[in-house]
Amino acid sequence: MGRKFFEHPNGIKVISCSACSTELSNKKEIISTRFTGATGRAYLFNKVLNIYSTEIQDRVMLTGRHLVRDVHCQNCKIKLGWLYEHAIEETQRYKEGKIILEKALIKEEDGIADPLKEDEN
């Protein structure tokens, strides 16, 4: 098996896998905190790193029918949420290409501040 390489999302606040602490995203990538997953509260992210996705599935959710892929931590393989591939309803199309991470499966940690930037979250 080859060597694993992980990307770092940068920033003062970093979102990590709660099981293995692999960095997944930056707090600035959160679009909304008002989603619900299988474990409760979930966050919609614009960009997430160090994950892999499964085959596409057709799911009927609270907001309608969507084509989604489950997303897993690249390091420990735990399921973290899902990726919206396609929304059937026009009003839900803003979710396409975005990722849901369930709050119970992630944690917020201190990241690394960029000394060249003034105001970074």
Side-chain angles (χ1 to χ4, degrees), residues 17-106:
C17 173
S18 63
C20 70
S21 297
T22 296
E23 293 89 2
L24 302 169
S25 194
N26 185 307
K27 192 172 179 182
K28 289 194 297 187
E29 295 294 337
I30 297 174
I31 297 169
S32 175
T33 60
R34 302 178 61 97
F35 281 76
T36 303
T39 60
R41 178 71 68 198
Y43 299 156
L44 181 68
F45 284 81
N46 189 46
K47 182 179 178 185
V48 176
L49 307 170
N50 303 319
I51 58 171
Y52 70 91
S53 57
T54 60
E55 293 295 317
I56 200 163
Q57 300 171 17
D58 189 346
R59 288 192 193 149
V60 177
M61 301 177 148
L62 293 174
T63 56
R65 191 169 147 229
H66 301 275
L67 299 178
V68 299
R69 297 176 187 270
D70 287 337
V71 295
H72 297 257
C73 175
Q74 189 175 9
N75 187 41
C76 70
K77 314 296 186 232
I78 191 171
K79 181 183 169 193
L80 298 169
W82 63 90
L83 163 68
Y84 286 104
E85 284 287 345
H86 179 70
I88 305 303
E89 295 181 32
E90 186 70 35
T91 59
Q92 300 299 308
R93 296 266 165 92
Y94 73 95
K95 298 176 186 175
E96 292 180 350
K98 307 296 187 272
I99 298 115
I100 290 285
L101 296 181
E102 299 198 36
K103 184 179 179 187
L105 305 174
I106 59 174

